[in-house]
Amino acid sequence: MTDAQDALAWAYLSAVAEPPSTPVARLIDAVGVREAARAVSTRRIPDGHHAVLRATAARYEYDGAQDDLETAARLGGRLITPEDEEWPGWALHALTLSDTASRGGPPMALWVRGQGRLDAIVDRAAAIVGSRASSQYGEHVTSRLASGLAAAGRGVVSGGAYGIDGSAHRAALASDGATAAVLACGIDIDYPSGHGRLFDEIVRTGVVVSEYPPGTSAARHRFLTRNRLVAALSKAVVVVEAGRRSGSLSTAAWAVKAGVPVGAVPGPVTSATSLGCHRMIRDGQAQLVIDADDVERLISPDGTDTAAGAITRRPDEKVLDDIQARVRDAIPGRGSATIAEIAFAAGIEVARTRPALAMLETYGLVTSDGSGWRLPAR
Amino acid sequence: MTDAQDALAWAYLSAVAEPPSTPVARLIDAVGVREAARAVSTRRIPDGHHAVLRATAARYEYDGAQDDLETAARLGGRLITPEDEEWPGWALHALTLSDTASRGGPPMALWVRGQGRLDAIVDRAAAIVGSRASSQYGEHVTSRLASGLAAAGRGVVSGGAYGIDGSAHRAALASDGATAAVLACGIDIDYPSGHGRLFDEIVRTGVVVSEYPPGTSAARHRFLTRNRLVAALSKAVVVVEAGRRSGSLSTAAWAVKAGVPVGAVPGPVTSATSLGCHRMIRDGQAQLVIDADDVERLISPDGTDTAAGAITRRPDEKVLDDIQARVRDAIPGRGSATIAEIAFAAGIEVARTRPALAMLETYGLVTSDGSGWRLPAR
C-alpha cells in the first residue's frame, strides 16, 4: 500500500473531479500524486495542464479525503491505485486503448471493499449482466450460467443491480465462486437498498468496487460510466436479458470498444426482455451463448485461455505500443530490476509502467520473480 | 404441356430410378426423353451411359406410367418437366451447382397437385421448417412468421409434416397466402395421414409437390432427399424449432449447399427443441431471425429483392457458366428465337437451355417477349 500521505492525495484526487478525468490522470502521470494533489488544491497548475482547472473547479476545496479513507477502513475496505499490487492493471489497460473522448479512460483509483483480491478475481472473470426487469426465465438461465462459471474457476463480475445482476452474484456465491460487484455509487452506500444484505455476502469472499469515493450517490451518468469498468474487468461480457434500451447494452458496447468478447443469451422471440439480446446476435455484436461452455469458448476459442491456464501467445513486435516497447527496452539484459528502476530507465511513470509490464508478461516477453522483472530465459 | 407420348416417357422415367438419378438425367439430355425411355425399357443403352443400366435395373419393367398420369389427373394434378412453362428452372438450377455425388441433383420431373402455379409460388417463397415435436411456443412463432410472409406477398414452402411444417402451411392459408407442400411420397398419398384435410386445403390455392410418382410411400431416405427440394424451391429457409437431430437441419444444410440463405428462430435455452436452432446460429450456419422482417432482410440484405421486385444486378461475364455462355451466344443479334431454336444453335438440350435462359433473364442479359427470347435493348 502507498503511504499515508500518498493515500490522502489519491483519495483527494479521486473526489475532486468526476471520474474518469483525463486531465487529472495526466497531471498525476506528469508530477506524481502528491504534487498533483497540491497543485489542484492550490490552483497552481503546471503549464500544459490547464484543463485540470476546469475539471476540478467545482470540487477542489473538498476536505473529506481523510474521512473517506476512514469510512472505507471501517467497512473493511481500501483505496487501491496503480501503485498497488492489487491494481488490475492488465485488465484496465484495455481502457487506455479505447476512445477516451467519450468517458472511456481507466479509473484513477478504485475503492474496494471485501476479502477478495480484485486483481485475482478479475484475472479470470466473466461478467453476467442484464435487465433489472428480468423474467423468471432470465433469472434461471443466469443462475445456471453463473454456477457453471464458478465451477470452472471463473469469477463473476456484475453491477449489483436487481434482476439479472443480483441473480448472477447470488449464484456465484452459492457455488462458492468469487464475485465482484462494480457500483455506480460509493462502496458505503447500499444501492439498490434491497441489496444491502447481498453486498454483505459478497464482501465475505469477493469484492464491492467503485471508482467513486464513499458517500457518492448513484446517478444516471454514473451507471453508464460504471458499465465500462464491468466490461474492462472481465474476460467476456454475457448479456442474459436486455430490453430494447437496457443499460446492459451499454456494457456490451464498452466491451466491444475494449476488445472484450460479448455473448448474449437468446430467449423466446415473444419476450420483450430478450429483444436486446436477439438484436445483438442478429447484428453481429454478440455471439449466441447457451451455457457456461459457450462462455469458455468465447473467452478462448482455441481452448488455451482456461481459468487454470495462461496466455502464452507471443505477439509480433509491432503489437507493442510505444510505452510497452520502451518498458521492454528498459529491462536489463542480465538480472532483474524493480518497477521503479524500470520506470526511471524508460522515462515513464510507474503508473504507466505497471500495466505495460503486465501486458509484456502476458505476452511472455518479461517475467517477474517476486523481487523484480527480468527478460525470460531463452 | 408436352404431348401424350412425351408425358408417358417422363412418367415412366420418373419411376424407373430412385430420384434424383444423374445417369437417367444425362441420358435424357443426350437423346431426348422418348428415346431415353425406349432405351431404358429395352435395355439398349447408348455408349457412355451404362450407369443407367444399374440405376434402373430394379424397375425398368415398370408398366404403371399411364396409371400414374391418370391418378394425378384424377386428383387435379399433373406431371411437369423441364420442357413446361411451369417448371421452376431458375430455382432448381441451384441444385445443378451443388454436390451431385450426394443426391443433390435437380429432379427429373415433378408431380404437382393443386390450383397454384409452382413456378409463381416458389419465385417469391420462403421455407419455414422445423421439428415435428414442436412446442406451443414454436407453433405460435411459426404462425406469426408465416402470416407475416404471406402478408408480404411471399409463398410459404414446407414439408407437410406435423408440428412446425403444418403450422406454417395453415398460417399461410389463413392469411390468404400461397403455400407449397413438398412431399417425400406420392401426391396421392396423405402422409402423415392426419394431414389429408390440410393437403386438400392447400391444393385449392397452392400446390402439393413430389418428385416421386403416385403410389410411392414415404421412406426415411426420401425425407432427406425431399429436403433439398424444400431448400431449392425457396429464397430463404427458416428453421423455427429443431432438436439436436431434427430433419430440418438437413434442409438447412441443403440450403447452404444451394446458396439459399438460412435463418433460425431462437427460443429458451432451456428448450430441447430450440437447441438445433441455437447451435446453427452460434456456429454461423444460420442468421438469427425474430420476425418476417428479418426473413426479408435475409432474402435481400439491401432491400432490392422484395416479393414485388426483381433482381436487376448484372453479373460479370465470368459469373456465367459454360452452358449459360453458349446459350447467350446462341441468341440472334436481331429479332427473337424460340427455346428450341436457341437450344439447336447452342447445341444444348432444351432441358438445359431453359434454366440457363431463366438465369440469363434474371441477370438482365436476355428478355422474353412471350413468343421467344431476344437480347435486351441497349
Side-chain angles (χ1 to χ4, degrees), chain A residues 295-310:
Chain A
V295 181
E296 291 296 331
R297 271 187 286 270
L298 203 58
I299 293 172
S300 176
D302 57 0
T304 55
D305 183 21
T306 63

Side-chain angles (χ1 to χ4, degrees), chain B residues 30 53 71 90 98 112 171 177 204 206 212 215 243 246 260 277 280 296 361:
Chain B
L53 281 174
T71 299
W90 162 234
S98 63
V112 177
R204 283 200 210 164
Y212 303 102
S246 170
V260 173
C277 292
M280 284 197 293
E296 291 296 331
E361 184 179 35

Side-chain angles (χ1 to χ4, degrees), chain A residues 182-199:
Chain A
V182 186
L183 305 188
C185 58
I187 56 172
D188 59 329
I189 293 178
D190 290 336
Y191 185 94
S193 58
H195 272 181
R197 187 173 289 179
L198 173 61
F199 297 146

Side-chain angles (χ1 to χ4, degrees), chain A residues 118-204:
Chain A
L118 180 62
D119 57 340
I121 293 173
V122 308
D123 186 45
R124 49 193 62 193
I128 301 180
V129 297
S131 182
R132 278 168 297 168
S134 53
S135 71
Q136 279 202 328
Y137 164 74
E139 288 162 23
H140 172 73
V141 173
T142 300
S143 296
R144 217 170 60 159
L145 266 182
S147 302
L149 290 169
R154 297 230 172 254
V156 173
V157 176
S158 195
Y162 287 138
I164 301 300
D165 289 19
S167 296
H169 291 304
R170 279 196 193 88
L173 290 171
S175 303
D176 292 326
T179 190
V182 186
L183 305 188
C185 58
I187 56 172
D188 59 329
I189 293 178
D190 290 336
Y191 185 94
S193 58
H195 272 181
R197 187 173 289 179
L198 173 61
F199 297 146
D200 288 344
E201 287 287 325
I202 289 173
V203 299
R204 281 199 210 164

Side-chain angles (χ1 to χ4, degrees), chain B residues 73-152:
Chain B
R74 199 167 55 242
L75 292 166
R78 57 212 178 266
L79 176 61
I80 65 172
T81 76
E83 293 173 2
D84 292 303
E85 289 291 335
E86 193 182 350
W87 185 253
W90 162 234
L92 295 172
H93 181 74
L95 293 175
T96 66
L97 307 173
S98 63
D99 176 13
T100 53
S102 56
R103 312 194 66 73
M108 186 188 306
L110 288 170
W111 296 87
V112 177
R113 174 185 161 213
Q115 299 298 312
R117 232 187 104 123
L118 179 63
D119 56 342
I121 293 173
V122 307
D123 185 46
R124 49 192 62 193
I128 301 180
V129 297
S131 182
R132 278 167 297 168
S134 53
S135 72
Q136 279 200 326
Y137 164 74
E139 288 162 23
H140 171 73
V141 172
T142 300
S143 297
R144 216 170 61 158
L145 266 183
S147 302
L149 291 170

